[in-house]
Amino acid sequence: MTGETTEVDMDVRRHLTSEVTRTTLRLQQTILAAVRAYLAGLGCTEVLLPIVGPVTDPGSRGAKQVDIDYYGHRYKLMTSAILYKQATLLAFDRIFCVAPNVRLEPMETAGTGRHLTEFHQIDVELAGASREEAMGVAEGVVAAAAGAVATEFAAARPALGAVATGGYTRLSYRDAVRELVALGVRQDDGAEINWQAEKLLSDRFAKPFFLVGYPKGSRGFYDREDQDDPGWLRNFDLLAGEGYGELASGGERESDYARVVTRMRETGENPAKYAWYLDLVRTGLPASAGFGIGLERLTRYLLGLPEVTAASAFPKLAGVVSP
Ligand code: ASN
């Protein structure tokens, strides 16, 4: 190797040659293989989904989207695969993908150890499934990944044994809010739980746990409103234990055309922009439930790493210019 090194070059070199990065990326392969085997065993077909499109998931919690010029049309980089996941159920009843997502997170997330602006999601969608079935599969994904890491990695941390056995607690959003208020957090009932509060909750659990039933205003138009409990969604988050915070979001999907349009309007989205998706909803998409798990976050959690950056070969943090 010849030539002069720049500061960026040195950072890339140091990162890619470090033992932590190399061990982490090798075990990420183990995690992916275990997750693929588990999902294939449930009859899920792996699909490769678009990375650009006229619209993308608007429900990504304060993160900005990236626009690109697509032959004179304003297109987006995917913030999640949600719209394409639902559409792909026209081909197969159970699908998953491992897809890159780009979210311009707020600058203050650069130091959290858990936010990347470019990351991958293991995204699953199951036709005809309920929230509870989707939660069972999400638990199975994390348990399978934990079991594989525990087997493969001699230095695996003891906590993985319990993660691999499943049986994750379910806590309602409303109980979580009560618990946060009791801890002295200013948490409004009806608002999103921010990452700082998620961390506090997550600190109180030794294993992953579910938060169930978020308020309508907090999530995208695609999570189905509970008809028996208006204002509340049939959705969930899966949080890691030990303070590692959120790993996954998911839920049942709204498949009624009029309700989807209403929810879009309520959340400030212009239905005209979603023409391709709304045409499919109008002419019929299967009812479904699904979820997406952040691969780098899952890797970080299972290996007990302080920084999510170790779980990416080329990590990007909010506001940091990097290759
Ligand atoms: N992938 C998530 C889901 O399936 C959505 C998201 O990433 N916001 O619900």
Side-chain angles (χ1 to χ4, degrees), residues 57 59 80 82 85 103 121 123 222 249-250 253 290-292:
D57 181 354
S80 95
I82 181 69
K85 276 201 307 181
R103 299 181 184 178
Q121 240 182 132
D123 243 319
Y222 45 84
S249 298
R253 313 307 181 187
F291 59 87

